[in-house]
Amino acid sequence: MEKKPRTITKASTGKTAARAPKKTASTEKKPTISSAERDVEVKESKTHSKTQKSRATGLRIGAVICWLIAFGFEVLAILNFKGVFVPQQIIPSLPDNFMLYLIIFLVVDLIFVIIGSQLWKKSNRIDPASKKNKLKFWLWNNMGLIATIIAFVPFIIILLTQKEGEGNLNLDAKTKKIVAIVAVAALAVALLFSYTWNPVSAEELAEAESEFSGALVYWTPYGRCFHVDENCQSLKNSAELIVAEDYVDEEGNLVTAIAQAIEHNRIKACSFCSEEYSDDAADQLGE
C-alpha cells in the first residue's frame, strides 16, 4: 500500500523538511537508573540548560505580570461594585450600565489569569522543578491555581456578603445574581485552565533523556504523546509530523529532543513505539 504524503516540521526551527533527519537511536535496552544516578543527571543537566532556564525565567516573569494585571481588574470590579469607582465619572460618554462594567472587569480578569497560568505551565515544562519535596513541587506547578483563587474568591465573598442597599445604588437582587453566576463561572473556567494535571519533574526529565538518548522524537500537531519511531502504527494516518533531535544552541548548550517534546506538552511516550527502548517507557512521565 502506497504511503500518504507526509509533511515533517523540525521543532527547533519550525521549517518544513521533505523527510526527517536520518538518525536513529540505539535499540539496546538501557538499565533503569537509580535515584542516586538520577540526582547526578539532574545536577549535570544544569550545565547545559542555561538557555532553557533563562527562557523559563522570562515566561515566569510574564506570568506574574499577567496575574498582577488580573488582580488589578479584580480590584476595579470590587471598587465598581461598592460604588467607589464608576467609569462614567471618568468618561461621561460611557453608557450607564453597572452590570456591564462588572462583567467586563471579570472577563478581563479571567483572560489575564489564564494567560499567566499558561505561561507558568510552559515555563515548568522547560525548566521542571525537583520532586523531592512533594508539597513544594505541587505548589510550584500550581501557582496558577493560587493566582486564580486570589483573582476571584475575594470578589465573590464581597459580592455574596454585601447587604442589600449597601454599595452601588444600581444593585438589585437580579443584578447581584447574574454577576455572581458570571464570577463563579469565571472562577471555574480559570481553575480548569490553571491546574497542572500532569506535571513533569526534573528527575523524570533526566530519566527520559537518558532512556531515549540520541533518539529522534516525533509528535503530531494535535497528539498528546511523543513517539520514537516515524513509522509507529499510531502515526500511519498522520499527514503532518513534528520532529525533534538533539542540538546545541548558539550559546553552546545542549537541547535534547525529549526536552523539546516536553516543552510542547508531549510528556508521555507512545505505548507502541517506546516498548523497544524500555519496558516501562510508556509511563515514565507525568505520573
Side-chain angles (χ1 to χ4, degrees):
M1 184 176 178
E2 187 178 351
K3 290 186 177 180
K4 294 181 179 180
R6 174 176 283 175
T7 301
I8 298 178
T9 304
K10 292 192 68 174
S12 59
T13 63
K15 295 181 179 179
T16 301
R19 300 296 301 169
K22 298 296 182 181
K23 176 183 175 184
T24 57
S26 171
T27 56
E28 180 182 355
K29 295 286 184 71
K30 299 181 181 181
T32 303
I33 60 177
S34 65
S35 298
E37 291 172 328
R38 187 178 300 116
D39 289 343
V40 170
E41 289 206 20
V42 171
K43 291 178 181 178
E44 289 179 346
S45 70
K46 294 180 180 179
T47 64
H48 61 67
S49 61
K50 292 180 181 179
T51 301
Q52 292 98 309
K53 288 183 179 295
S54 177
R55 289 180 58 215
T57 299
L59 290 171
R60 287 172 179 141
I61 291 173
V64 172
I65 291 173
C66 286
W67 288 335
L68 290 175
I69 294 173
F71 300 160
F73 276 94
E74 181 192 24
V75 171
L76 288 178
I78 292 173
L79 295 177
N80 188 36
F81 175 71
K82 288 184 168 293
V84 177
F85 172 73
V86 181
Q88 302 95 303
Q89 294 178 350
I90 300 176
I91 307 177
S93 61
L94 290 175
D96 184 13
N97 192 326
F98 164 68
M99 183 174 67
L100 173 64
Y101 299 121
L102 272 181
I103 293 176
I104 289 175
F105 292 148
L106 291 174
V107 169
V108 176
D109 185 359
L110 172 63
I111 291 172
F112 277 99
V113 163
I114 291 177
I115 293 174
S117 296
Q118 296 306 306
L119 291 176
W120 189 268
K121 288 197 283 188
K122 183 171 183 177
S123 74
N124 288 334
R125 295 196 299 269
I126 295 174
D127 180 30
S130 172
K131 207 173 186 178
K132 290 181 179 179
N133 186 321
K134 292 185 177 180
L135 177 60
K136 182 179 178 181
F137 178 73
W138 187 90
L139 290 173
W140 183 255
N141 280 283
N142 286 288
M143 288 297 290
L145 207 65
I146 298 171
T148 296
I149 293 172
I150 296 173
F152 288 101
V153 172
F155 174 80
I156 293 174
I157 292 175
I158 292 173
L159 175 67
L160 297 178
T161 57
Q162 183 90 356
K163 295 180 180 180
E164 188 175 353
E166 294 181 351
N168 197 300
L169 298 178
N170 294 322
L171 178 66
D172 54 28
K174 182 180 179 181
T175 300
K176 183 175 180 180
K177 183 177 181 180
I178 294 174
V179 173
I181 291 173
V182 172
V184 172
L187 172 63
V189 172
L191 288 173
L192 180 65
F193 280 92
S194 298
Y195 183 73
T196 303
W197 299 96
N198 295 295
V200 178
S201 68
E203 293 82 4
E204 289 168 329
L205 173 59
E207 183 177 1
E209 288 179 325
S210 173
E211 190 67 37
F212 298 106
S213 176
L216 286 175
V217 177
Y218 306 87
W219 62 88
T220 63
Y222 305 106
R224 303 308 301 167
C225 63
F226 65 82
H227 307 261
V228 289
D229 183 1
E230 179 187 355
N231 298 311
C232 175
Q233 59 179 303
S234 62
L235 296 176
K236 62 182 179 180
N237 294 321
S238 300
E240 183 179 355
L241 288 182
I242 294 92
V243 60
E245 62 179 333
D246 296 353
Y247 73 93
V248 177
D249 64 20
E250 296 178 353
E251 297 181 8
N253 301 307
L254 174 65
V255 182
T256 66
I258 291 295
Q260 295 171 65
I262 292 176
E263 177 182 344
H264 287 82
N265 204 23
R266 272 64 178 186
I267 63 175
K268 187 176 182 180
C270 169
S271 58
F272 296 113
C273 59
S274 65
E275 289 182 355
E276 62 181 293
Y277 293 95
S278 173
D279 291 333
D280 60 352
D283 297 314
Q284 68 180 296
L285 291 176
E287 295 182 345

